[in-house]
Amino acid sequence: MEKDCIFCKIVNGEIPTTFLYKNDDLVIFRDINPHAPVHILIVPTRHIRSVNDLTGEDAKIVSDMIMAGKMMAEKEGISKSGYKLLYNVEKGGGQVIFHLHMHLIGGWKK
Ligand code: 5GP
Ligand code: ZN
């Protein structure tokens, strides 16, 4: 838990958020400012700043995040049409919230 981290506050309930899925290791909720018809965030409960801070010990959470993205794409009905799983890394990569998260984006009309 990092003081002043918005996603830590979402994880611990300080900022009320509707979770689409939650377990001890990650939470999933809709992006507040969606860039596509489906825009979902997959967020580890543990505070990790960015992809740059990942170590070999984090391999499980990273694979869990990707599997969760796949599961949510199926739930949202966008598996077949296709989607993006995206990590923005640090300021130059477009990262605004410095608590690791993966975007699931899709649902565009063909
Ligand atoms: P980044 O640019 O850091 O990869 O993406 C952060 C994302 O978090 C942005 O798409 C932004 O809209 C979303 N976001 C920021 N604050 C909140 C919030 O309080 N609730 C939700 N649901 N999404 C948020
Ligand atoms: Zn955090």
Side-chain angles (χ1 to χ4, degrees), residues 6-7 10 15 17 29-33 35 39 41 88 94-98 101 103:
I6 289 175
F7 284 0
I10 286 176
I15 298 176
T17 301
F29 52 89
R30 291 193 196 279
D31 197 290
I32 204 168
N33 181 26
H35 288 211
H39 190 166
L41 300 173
N88 294 326
Q95 189 174 2
V96 173
I97 306 286
F98 293 95
H101 53 279
H103 298 255

Side-chain angles (χ1 to χ4, degrees), residues 2 5-8 47-48 98-99:
E2 191 81 6
C5 170
I6 289 175
F7 284 0
C8 281
H47 183 89
I48 300 167
F98 293 95
H99 177 133

Side-chain angles (χ1 to χ4, degrees), residues 4-22:
D4 301 330
C5 170
I6 289 175
F7 284 0
C8 281
K9 288 181 179 168
I10 286 176
V11 166
N12 72 20
E14 260 183 81
I15 298 176
T17 301
T18 302
F19 293 125
L20 302 172
Y21 178 84
K22 183 180 194 315

Side-chain angles (χ1 to χ4, degrees), residues 80-98:
K80 287 227 163 63
S81 58
Y83 54 91
K84 296 177 195 287
L85 297 176
L86 180 76
Y87 288 88
N88 294 326
V89 185
E90 298 294 335
K91 286 196 179 70
Q95 189 174 2
V96 173
I97 306 286
F98 293 95

